[in-house]
Amino acid sequence: MTRTSLERVEARLGDPVMSAALVAEHGLSPEEWERILELMGREPTFTELGVFSAMWSEHCGYKNSRPLLRMLPTEGPAVVQGPGENAGVIDVGGGWGVAFKIESHNHPSAVEPYQGAATGSGGILRDVFTMGARPVAIFDSLHFGSLDSPQSRYLFDGVVRGVGDYGNCVGVPTVGGEAIFDPAYEKNPLINVMCIGVLPLERLIRGEAEGVGNPVMAVGARTGRDGIHGATFASEELDEEAVDSRPQVQVGDPFTEKLLLEASLELIERDLLIGIQDMGAAGLTSSGTEMAARSGSGIDLDVAYLPVREEGMTPYEMLLSESQERMLLVAKPEHERAVREVLERWDLQAATIGRVTDDGMFRVREDGVVRVEIPVKPLVDDCPTYVREGAMSPATAEARAVDLRPYSSFATDGEVEAALGTLLDSPSVASRRWIYEQYDTTVQTNTLEGPGSDAAVLRLPAEGRALAAATDGNGRHTWLDPRTGGRAAVAEAARNVACSGARPLAVTNCLNFGSPLRPEVYFQLAGAVEGMGEACRALRTPVTGGNVSLYNETGAQPVYPTPVIGMLGVIEDLERRVPSAFQREDDEIWVAGRTRDEIGGSEYLAACHGLVAGRPPAVDLGEAAALVDFLVEGAADGAFASAHDGSDGGLAVALAECAVGAAGGPLGCTVDLDAAPAGANVSAAGRWFGESHSRVVLTCRPGAGERIAAHGRRHGVPVARVGTVGGPGSPCRLTGAGHAIAPAAAELARIYEEAIPLRMSEEAGITS
Amino acid sequence: MTAGMKVGIVRFPGSNCDADVYRAVTEGLGESATYLWHKSTDLEGVDVVVLPGGFSYGDYLRAGAIARFSPIMGEVIDFARAGGLTLGICNGFQVLCEAHLLPGALVRNRHLRFRCHDVGLRVENAATPFTTAYSEGDLLHIPIAHGEGQFVAEAATLDELEAEDRVIFRYVDRRGEATDAANPNGSARNIAGIMNHEGNILGLMPHPERHSLAVLGNTDGLAVFQSLLASVLRARGCRSDPPRAEAPEFAVGAVAGASS
């Protein structure tokens, strides 16, 4: 199928005429258009314009983020596959690897929450199993507006159903994630889904198109007109008209996904393939060109052979469709028949639509006539990139300057108790049970610690080992101080994983920001990535891939800049894993890490005073790394009965969570917060609810505290005994900074458990 | 050296608990298991057939409604009608009802949401081939994971099930009481699992296979598989012996294709 000298690229009859307006509609700037003319040496056809539009969108081309992403470390001893593939892969020992990646589906979910979230799950699952890995876990990191808003309740409900139904049907447990509620996300919810898969390392396969003449096959669902230009859509701001963009949102079919999953793994296991890739964003265009680009080859397709769902589809539509549950694969030529047989066994469509070439061209024909001929390398690799000037927004500067002293103390003990109640009732802090009970969390029988603990823990096929994973991000902190927020996302995720006893190994990231054309957003993006890179280096957790989602804004109101980190770690001996909640009455309670006077950006200020202000807590990376070592070595030594990260709501909330989360029902406790390690001049609010980093609530059997102390000395982590776990009927007696409260543990549990269900009850109403 | 029970696990397109049953039988119990492809018509001489959980054929139309017409189901129906031990878990229970091997039906949960968590179960009858390793009244913690698990049947059918001790598992609270609060899906009379009149077919919504491995910290479900093994061995012992006055209650490993 090499083009002969007689063939020429022909426009189709009826194609729109090129114009500046048409180019602009395709999201390309005049400079980018000039670049296209230069590299093509001619004016592109309408179909070719569509291809450029998709590949040079932010979603595929990373034009505003690529220079910044170079700041991230991507190499380390455990990394087998870094960024640039369908998913990253790390070595977890015993010949086993773990493939993982996080991806956003923010724009589609804002328009159609159920399908947006479902297809987001579908896409990330395919990214993982196309590496040859069996998906074993899904995590969802969700950000919505306040649950007091009917629109947010509608979006939240739809997204949870969408994530749940898809994963439940495919049979992959959803075992962790986060849910944050803040008015900043009212019109632009963030839906980030991480998938983790396990593979024997010798079976690792990549998205490559090698070997001249090898067949290129389209597999799975038929191609329809849905989701055309989804990648470009995801690279624009949402406006009121977006609600009319429903055709750009695809519909998911998890049943077909399950068949694709099983068939793909069988094809890979039997070594029948050269390469395989999801037809995700920008569909056939991105999968075809990216596979060719990785191999330095070309690809020659004829869309006449592509199975379609509708009559009369143009090459433009077929190339840009984002119909779900489709894959592109390059088969070993001698196995083309065997490939077909496997697919037929799973009742899947397979069509050979082209061949690999060596001329470096992405060529697409319509019944033999060439409609597209673009050199692959510049199309994929030379998307123009931009380095912009950033500047802190006046609103951030103003918020940082707010005097927090009026909020730093409490008039009465009752005020402290009320604040604790308000925090436990905040949907961003409260129990996520309403969410995760709609998810299958135990299918595949690997779940050792499911949702509700700091990190989910899953057993690995390698004897005796377990995998721990968590997702974290803090938009509020990042808005107040981008670099600190970037550091915090990594440090908190590492701390969560280390609390379970796992050594953090690598991360995947999802960057959710507004329009980078805005100086204040670019400032946030650049700062957050810088901070993330610093923390990844300090904690020796390289980035193996991820996703950038920009233009999360409506009516010039961007979301909080929200970098989300998905962190993976390994526990050598799964019997040594550490749970989060209190285990037994009379256990000693300890706190590791220093409390400083840091209430800036806290959930306490937001929930109790409606205030997002101050400087967020600093992240000392030396302290963060020392705490991780302390936790991992202490766990391996069996020094901890439980370990729980202190974050949103500070120490008081962390203690309450340990108490209400106890497996057999709430346990009380007696704790003196003043005994916890602290810096100078910590205010009452800082002591109770401040969110200083690198702090953990630990417990151990009575009399076993010396081991905690010894590990603390060894790693330079300040530790102190602060109290004792109480019995099932006893209250949580907390004292500190001259205040004392003793709410019943059962009452705290009630507040914590009812917060989300009450807001989502029938009476609250869900509008559509 | 295994004792020699062979469990056949049917794989419909969309089954997703097949591997979990496989692990429960092989890792948890140390017996052998094999997958039976939905397009096959050969039960491969297995002693027990398990219809696993999942979303067979995507649960399109209605949970289990299409699966019952797949080629393997003809054999499974013959096997079950001839007395072969047949266990349907979750989606498998739905398929058994659709195939009229068990009475009643499973409809959407009362609250219309998918629900996954551990439930309390009470063993109502320990004299069945699926429960001899339990004692009557045992309280178990076993996970559920379903959106369509509300068991419904006509009052007369429910009365008959109760009268014949064919309600095998019931949803109960911590104290072992079948309260409404302990009922996760609105099932009639808190019914979680039932048996056919002949006593060789069991369907239940909870997933015993998920609590069958010691490494996961709970093995409350393993006794279902231990009971099956005991039944197989007992039946086999009887079969190789000369006929006795007490005929084996359950025909095990009935020949595939035998008419009912």
Side-chain angles (χ1 to χ4, degrees), chain A residues 268-293:
Chain A
I268 294 164
E269 191 181 326
R270 290 176 53 187
D271 199 19
L272 304 177
L273 303 182
I274 305 273
I276 177 166
Q277 178 153 343
D278 171 34
M279 281 200 231
L284 184 53
T285 294
S286 68
S287 53
T289 56
E290 286 172 10
M291 286 178 86

Side-chain angles (χ1 to χ4, degrees), chain A residues 646-683:
Chain A
S647 61
D648 295 355
L651 266 191
V653 165
L655 287 160
E657 286 171 341
C658 288
V660 304
L667 293 174
C669 61
T670 303
V671 172
D672 178 10
L673 293 171
D674 292 338
N681 303 320
V682 181
S683 67

Side-chain angles (χ1 to χ4, degrees), chain B:
Chain B
M1 181 69 192
T2 62
M5 174 173 76
K6 188 173 168 193
V7 174
I9 304 159
V10 175
R11 287 187 104 182
F12 297 110
S15 292
N16 64 31
C17 301
D18 43 347
D20 298 352
V21 175
Y22 190 95
R23 279 167 141 180
V25 172
T26 57
E27 278 180 51
L29 193 63
E31 290 296 311
S32 65
T34 187
Y35 292 117
L36 302 172
W37 188 239
H38 65 109
K39 291 178 188 173
S40 162
T41 52
D42 179 4
L43 294 189
E44 300 175 23
V46 297
D47 301 298
V48 176
V49 168
V50 178
L51 304 179
F55 290 73
S56 56
Y57 301 89
D59 271 359
Y60 295 134
L61 188 58
R62 198 170 62 238
I66 305 178
R68 87 166 236 33
F69 294 107
S70 67
I72 193 83
M73 277 308 291
E75 303 304 312
V76 170
I77 290 168
D78 288 345
F79 173 85
R81 291 218 169 113
L85 288 171
T86 306
L87 171 64
I89 303 168
C90 197
N91 191 233
F93 185 13
Q94 294 159 344
V95 175
L96 289 174
C97 291
E98 288 288 339
H100 304 298
L101 290 170
L102 289 173
L106 295 145
V107 300
R108 287 195 71 190
N109 294 348
R110 172 169 56 179
H111 44 71
L112 305 180
R113 288 184 190 273
F114 187 96
R115 194 55 84 71
C116 174
H117 53 77
D118 277 11
V119 293
L121 284 187
R122 191 174 66 209
V123 178
E124 302 289 80
N125 179 349
T128 83
F130 307 92
T131 51
T132 50
Y134 294 111
S135 300
E136 193 173 314
D138 275 358
L139 295 186
L140 318 175
H141 284 96
I142 306 248
I144 55 163
H146 60 247
E148 301 181 33
Q150 180 180 181
F151 181 73
V152 294
E154 286 176 26
T157 307
L158 293 172
D159 290 342
E160 186 185 315
L161 286 169
E162 304 265 16
E164 297 183 357
D165 284 335
R166 288 162 53 198
V167 174
I168 311 302
F169 297 107
R170 222 184 283 270
Y171 300 111
V172 295
D173 64 14
R174 273 171 206 237
R175 292 182 306 276
E177 283 164 32
T179 60
D180 191 53
N183 187 340
N185 51 29
S187 287
R189 304 186 191 179
N190 283 40
I191 290 172
I194 57 167
M195 196 171 63
N196 65 333
H197 175 75
E198 291 73 18
N200 66 306
I201 305 172
L202 173 75
L204 77 168
M205 287 313 295
H207 289 272
E209 78 280 12
R210 295 193 190 181
H211 276 177
S212 292
L213 302 173
V215 67
L216 298 180
N218 180 326
T219 52
D220 282 2
L222 184 61
V224 168
F225 301 97
Q226 289 168 333
S227 303
L228 283 167
L229 175 61
S231 304
V232 167
L233 294 182
R234 197 166 53 241
R236 204 172 279 160
C238 292
R239 201 186 291 166
S240 56
D241 289 343
R244 290 182 300 183
E246 321 146 59
E249 200 177 343
F250 313 104
V252 171
V255 180
S259 59
S260 54

Side-chain angles (χ1 to χ4, degrees), chain A residues 257-271:
Chain A
E257 179 96 345
K258 170 71 171 162
L259 303 183
L260 268 179
L261 188 169
E262 298 297 340
S264 300
L265 292 181
E266 189 175 331
L267 291 171
I268 294 164
E269 191 181 326
R270 290 176 53 187
D271 199 19

Side-chain angles (χ1 to χ4, degrees), chain A residues 214-215 217 267-268 270-274 329-343 352:
Chain A
N214 282 344
M217 303 171 83
L267 291 171
I268 294 164
R270 290 176 53 187
D271 199 19
L272 304 177
L273 303 182
I274 305 273
L329 50 88
V330 176
K332 292 187 172 170
E334 67 276 23
H335 293 317
E336 190 175 341
R337 212 179 128 160
V339 169
R340 283 178 186 287
E341 280 168 5
V342 169
L343 294 167
T352 300

